[in-house]
Amino acid sequence: VRFDTVDAADATPPWPAAGVIVSNPPYNERVPIAIEHWRAIGATLRNRYGGWRALLLTSDRGLPGQLGLRERRKTPLFNGAIECRLFEFEMRMRAAG
């Protein structure tokens, strides 16, 4: 298990084999995130994390669209009193080009 703190838009896989990313990003309630940053995070996941799975817990039901990703699964959960969704994304392998 490895834990890192990095700007998600600049992240790179920590090892060559695919793995799982788990994150509880800001809900745009106390810490607003610009749509451009969400788009950059989605691009990073698509372009650098082929074969990986990403699990993101958020109250923002529009997060998949902001990332430009389609969720494989969404699970309703509560974080305290806040109704949330645990979105699961599977990153496809991209052909080397």
Side-chain angles (χ1 to χ4, degrees):
V1 175
R2 178 175 164 180
F3 296 94
D4 285 325
T5 302
V6 298
D7 184 327
D10 297 326
T12 58
W15 49 76
V20 178
I21 298 168
V22 180
S23 180
N24 180 8
Y27 296 173
N28 277 332
E29 292 179 14
R30 289 180 292 138
V31 179
I33 305 293
I35 186 70
E36 296 82 19
H37 198 67
W38 288 124
R39 294 270 185 229
I41 292 168
T44 295
L45 290 171
R46 280 190 307 280
N47 296 323
R48 298 182 187 161
Y49 287 86
W52 285 63
R53 288 184 333 152
L55 297 136
L56 305 177
L57 177 67
T58 182
S59 66
D60 184 353
R61 294 183 188 186
L63 182 63
Q66 294 172 21
L67 291 168
L69 301 173
R70 177 168 293 190
E71 74 272 10
R72 176 178 176 262
R73 178 180 305 158
K74 59 183 168 188
T75 305
L77 298 171
F78 280 85
N79 185 359
I82 302 172
E83 184 176 356
C84 296
R85 296 290 181 272
L86 180 64
F87 290 107
E88 179 182 350
F89 304 95
E90 285 187 1
M91 301 299 105
R92 293 186 190 143
M93 296 297 291
R94 293 190 173 260

